[in-house]
């Protein structure tokens, strides 16, 4: 088990997730929460910042990929 803290946007799916200490690929980014939300006060779309404790991006660990 490991934790991640990723900033990913649409079209990042399939990107490798690297272990910062070893440089090895440990997972693949597969999906996430909506990237943008509409800010009524500013009247524009802004990045959807998520609370790190509530999850966000979904990863598939390398050990679960077919060989």
């Amino acid at each position: 088990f490991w934790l991640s803290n990723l900033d990913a946007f649409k079209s990042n799916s399939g990107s490798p997730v690297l272990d910062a200490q070893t440089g090895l690929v440990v997972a693949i980014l597969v999906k996430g929460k909506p990237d943008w939300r509409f800010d009524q006060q500013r009247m524009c779309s802004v990045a959807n910042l998520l609370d790190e404790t509530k999850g966000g991006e979904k990863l598939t660990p390398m050990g679960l990929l077919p060989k």
Side-chain angles (χ1 to χ4, degrees):
F1 175 78
W2 35 266
L3 298 174
S4 65
N5 181 354
L6 303 172
D7 292 323
F9 289 88
K10 191 172 186 175
S11 298
N12 287 151
S13 292
S15 295
V17 178
L18 306 176
D19 180 309
Q21 294 181 356
T22 66
L24 296 174
V25 176
V26 294
I28 302 294
L29 178 65
V30 293
K31 65 180 178 177
K33 304 272 181 165
D35 299 323
W36 305 99
R37 64 174 179 79
F38 191 76
D39 185 317
Q40 292 288 344
Q41 190 173 13
R42 296 186 210 173
M43 296 302 293
C44 65
S45 293
V46 296
N48 188 24
L49 302 178
L50 302 171
D51 182 333
E52 291 180 17
T53 64
K54 298 193 176 170
E57 312 305 337
K58 304 292 184 213
L59 311 174
T60 297
M62 293 301 291
L64 296 180
L65 296 176
K67 296 186 182 199

